[in-house]
Amino acid sequence: MNLADEIKRLHELHQSGALTDAEFAQAKSKLLQDAPSSDTQNLVDSDNSLNQLNRFRRSKSDQWLGGICGGLGKLTGLESWVWRLLFVTFSFYFGFGLVAYILAWIFVPEED
């Protein structure tokens, strides 16, 4: 349940008489104190995304050309053949798969 649902539930309990004014105010303030702020949560999520992106490396062991698909496989948990299929599909149908692969080959460092 999100914060809005919890406050709505508390309000309904207060309206039905199950909670006094003091109990309602105390429960509401406790909910608001315990809830992480959305700004803090967004910062944590973006920090985790950056950490994931910084871990992206070209694979030495699972490579056909540059190791990009092997590195994406290690990063995401998908098999590397799925990434190869996606790059080929995007190259044939949309035209930017090969460009994206070459740019990644240039800018993504090789694993140690």
Side-chain angles (χ1 to χ4, degrees), residues 22-79:
E23 290 172 333
F24 173 71
Q26 182 182 13
K28 185 177 173 182
S29 66
K30 181 168 174 27
L31 269 176
L32 292 174
Q33 282 178 341
D34 292 344
S37 69
S38 61
D39 293 337
T40 305
Q41 189 63 33
N42 288 340
L43 286 174
V44 169
D45 290 343
S46 66
D47 190 39
N48 288 339
S49 299
L50 288 175
N51 284 340
Q52 284 284 81
L53 190 59
N54 287 335
R55 286 188 357 197
F56 180 39
R57 299 284 186 258
R58 291 184 296 146
S59 176
K60 285 184 180 178
S61 59
D62 186 11
Q63 68 178 9
W64 283 7
L65 290 175
I68 298 298
C69 296
L72 284 169
K74 287 180 184 177
L75 182 69
T76 61
L78 287 174
E79 295 289 328

Side-chain angles (χ1 to χ4, degrees), residues 78-100:
L78 287 174
E79 295 289 328
S80 58
W81 66 266
V82 174
W83 286 105
R84 289 182 183 108
L85 182 66
L86 284 172
F87 274 109
V88 168
T89 302
F90 278 98
S91 293
F92 283 129
Y93 289 107
F94 306 113
F96 64 85
L98 184 62
V99 173

